[in-house]
Amino acid sequence: MTAAASTETAKLSLNGQTIDLPVIIGTEKEKAFEIGKLRDQTGVITMDPGFGNTGSCVSSITFLDGERGVLRYRGIPIEQLAEQATSTETAHLLIYGELPNKRELEQFTQRVSERYALPDGMERFFDAFPKSAHPMAVLSAMITVLSSYYPQLLNPYPTREEMDEIILTLMAKIPTLAAVAYRRSRGLDVVAPRADLGYSANYLNMVFGGPGKKDPDPTIVQAFRQMLILHADHEQNCSTSTVRLVGSSRTNAFSSISSGVSALWGPLHGGANQAVIEMLESIQKGGGDSKKYIAMAKDKTSMFRLMGFGHRVYKNFDPRSRIIKKACDQVLAKLGVKDPLLDIAKQLEEAALKDEYFVTRKLYPNVDFYSGIILRAIGIPTNEFTVIFALGRLPGWLAHWKELVESGQRIGRPRQIYMGPTERPYRPLTQRG
Ligand code: SDX
């Protein structure tokens, strides 16, 4: 898949040399200078730490417009998917490009549910972790362990059938890994997956179910399903770019996805949902005064950031945050839950959005600001929040891994500008003082 080359070119002049840079244009009229021959033609490279201005690929999966707060999966607005879709059909849309018809959805659902169970013998690994191990450490490690049970799915150049089997295996087993890790970390018996339950209900049942327990509450299942959809993809975010970069070495999907989990763990990325609740709890313990945290967030020496605020792309609002904030009120009311942290979050948002520091930097609540309120309401422990983000993002990671492998893109290998010592001789130990 290639972006359309436009008739426009950009001129670059340096040291008396002028070159034309082709301009490529996407289906949403985004434009990029194509610099694939820049170093060959000029000996010069570009520099863009954090890649704020640099495209790593062309992709057909997700479109974001940060200025207008637009998020679409394969062209379908997130608002419609969050309202009407299931997480399984959203996963099919992201991975295969289209919403499945009835037969395709039944087949995809069945082929995933048939694969929920872990391979025999894997459970013993979970008890080797210290009880205090962070769930993201366990998840990332166990996805790599899972690969050792499927040598037939590690082909660097998978066939279409192998790719489908890889996708089904990871879609099915990663929630089971997360649920078994949760249960074993608490010394609880494992609850077997149930093919008769949907994707969200099965995960919730594996975590909270067990002998004598009722099936998960439909309100909780619906709230969880919506969280999976809202977190399912977000174009070239840190963890997805990690999946693509690691995948570009032609390693397998297991290690690519495991790397994505590790990247997502960071508090500047998916780990923010846990950090937001910890921040709100601190505000609550301190008497509910958010002003101190606003002041700390503005004080560069504090190294503190208002967690759940700001975004590299969204500069007006994060559409997901709006949907989750609305869902907070609905889900808590349906569950009869009153959470003081929700009121603190709303006050914090109101205070920040009146503050010149946040307004001038276009810092608004992102997907992580309210998500923890819902996860708490449905009973998910705080240190599991980023695992839920990973379960949501899994179809997006798989879609991007598939797109990368199918594109035949060469290995990702950025350049650098060296700033270290220029050439100097080795000095024997006796001459080093
Ligand atoms: C996710 O990329 C994605 O799509 C990610 C994600 C996805 O779905 O995959 O949307 C999920 O990761 C959401 C973001 C979760 N992270 C947090 O909530 C952590 C807090 N937010 C920040 O650390 C920050 O806003 C980032 C990491 C989200 C974005 O960082 P950028 O784009 O590198 O922004 P920046 O650091 O260049 O900040 C610009 C200015 C700086 O101040 P100045 O140097 O201009 O004076 O804004 C300030 C920053 O100090 N700033 C903040 C702030 N975020 C930015 N100041 C206080 N609190 C904050 N939260």
Side-chain angles (χ1 to χ4, degrees):
M1 155 208 25
T2 52
S6 76
T7 50
E8 287 177 80
T9 58
K11 289 200 178 302
L12 179 71
S13 297
L14 182 69
N15 301 334
Q17 178 193 12
T18 298
I19 63 166
D20 285 344
L21 291 177
V23 173
I24 57 175
I25 187 164
T27 51
E28 289 286 352
K29 309 293 176 256
E30 297 167 299
K31 294 183 180 179
F33 303 139
E34 209 291 307
I35 59 170
K37 297 187 176 61
L38 179 68
R39 190 169 184 278
D40 287 349
Q41 289 174 314
T42 67
V44 176
I45 64 169
T46 60
M47 179 58 65
D48 185 21
F51 308 124
N53 303 280
T54 297
S56 61
C57 62
V58 291
S59 177
S60 303
I61 299 168
T62 290
F63 172 68
L64 303 187
D65 181 325
E67 285 63 37
R68 293 187 298 136
V70 170
L71 168 56
R72 300 190 200 121
Y73 296 163
R74 301 282 188 181
I76 301 177
I78 189 65
E79 294 80 4
Q80 295 177 29
L81 290 165
E83 197 59 42
Q84 304 173 56
T86 66
S87 59
T88 302
E89 62 184 355
T90 303
H92 188 283
L93 171 69
L94 285 166
I95 295 166
Y96 292 105
E98 294 296 340
L99 285 168
N101 62 31
K102 190 168 179 307
R103 183 188 58 76
E104 290 162 337
L105 180 58
E106 284 167 0
Q107 187 184 53
F108 187 59
T109 301
Q110 189 195 333
R111 295 180 75 194
V112 169
S113 61
E114 287 166 349
R115 293 163 172 81
Y116 281 156
L118 298 183
D120 291 341
M122 250 197 102
E123 278 179 29
R124 58 197 161 92
F125 285 93
F126 291 92
D127 294 332
F129 288 97
K131 295 294 179 232
S132 58
H134 194 284
M136 289 294 273
V138 177
L139 185 63
S140 180
M142 290 309 291
I143 293 170
T144 305
V145 169
L146 188 67
S147 70
S148 58
Y149 287 82
Y150 295 94
Q152 72 279 21
L153 298 184
L154 307 184
N155 180 356
Y157 296 88
T159 64
R160 176 57 198 261
E161 292 67 30
E162 286 168 335
M163 196 175 279
D164 288 345
E165 185 57 38
I166 289 162
I167 288 164
L168 292 167
T169 299
L170 288 171
M171 278 297 297
K173 296 187 192 306
I174 288 181
T176 310
L177 287 177
V180 172
Y182 173 89
R183 300 284 296 192
R184 297 309 305 147
S185 70
R186 287 159 174 78
L188 300 171
D189 290 340
V190 166
V191 176
R194 281 178 41 191
D196 63 308
L197 293 176
Y199 197 74
S200 299
N202 173 57
Y203 172 74
L204 292 166
N205 188 60
M206 289 191 290
V207 171
F208 298 121
K213 295 278 182 75
K214 290 195 294 186
D215 285 356
D217 177 315
T219 300
I220 291 179
V221 173
Q222 174 50 25
F224 189 82
R225 174 183 301 136
Q226 192 173 64
M227 295 300 277
L228 292 182
I229 292 169
L230 290 167
H231 288 80
D233 194 51
H234 218 237
E235 54 126 283
Q236 302 307 317
N237 59 85
C238 178
S239 54
T240 302
S241 296
T242 300
V243 167
R244 290 185 77 117
L245 184 61
V246 170
S248 73
S249 74
R250 289 290 173 167
T251 180
N252 54 76
F254 295 77
S255 54
S256 297
I257 301 295
S258 171
S259 307
V261 170
S262 297
L264 187 73
W265 187 3
L268 294 189
H269 192 13
N273 59 12
Q274 174 176 342
V276 166
I277 292 298
E278 289 162 353
M279 173 181 73
L280 295 175
E281 285 173 335
S282 306
I283 294 174
Q284 183 189 33
K285 280 196 198 90
D289 173 14
S290 54
K291 290 190 193 60
K292 185 179 86 174
Y293 288 82
I294 298 258
M296 275 189 340
K298 293 160 63 175
D299 170 8
K300 298 295 176 200
T301 61
S302 76
M303 298 309 287
F304 173 78
R305 290 204 157 182
L306 204 60
M307 300 315 278
F309 255 71
H311 199 277
R312 174 63 55 81
V313 175
Y314 291 125
K315 297 306 175 189
N316 275 313
F317 62 91
D318 182 333
R320 301 167 298 175
S321 177
R322 282 191 171 177
I323 296 168
I324 294 173
K325 181 179 178 182
K326 201 172 88 186
C328 278
D329 292 323
Q330 293 162 351
V331 171
L332 268 61
K334 272 192 179 175
L335 294 174
V337 169
K338 274 289 290 159
D339 187 347
L341 296 191
L342 178 56
D343 299 333
I344 293 173
K346 288 180 177 177
Q347 287 158 22
L348 192 53
E349 176 186 4
E350 196 183 331
L353 297 190
K354 285 184 191 144
D355 188 296
E356 184 261 346
Y357 173 92
F358 294 89
V359 174
T360 53
R361 289 169 179 79
K362 300 188 175 193
L363 303 176
Y364 298 90
N366 58 50
V367 68
D368 293 310
F369 190 63
Y370 286 104
S371 55
I373 302 289
I374 289 197
L375 295 177
R376 272 162 58 95
I378 60 182
I380 306 280
T382 305
N383 74 341
E384 292 283 334
F385 285 3
T386 313
V387 167
I388 306 305
F389 195 144
L391 298 185
R393 187 52 51 91
L394 178 58
W397 286 335
L398 288 169
H400 282 275
W401 172 78
K402 176 174 181 286
E403 185 176 73
L404 168 102
V405 168
E406 290 175 338
S407 73
Q409 183 174 311
R410 60 184 183 152
I411 189 168
R413 202 267 184 226
R415 293 281 185 154
Q416 65 163 26
I417 293 295
Y418 174 72
M419 295 299 285
T422 53
E423 186 174 3
R424 56 182 175 152
Y426 173 82
R427 285 186 299 121
L429 186 58
T430 53
Q431 295 174 25
R432 284 180 252 155

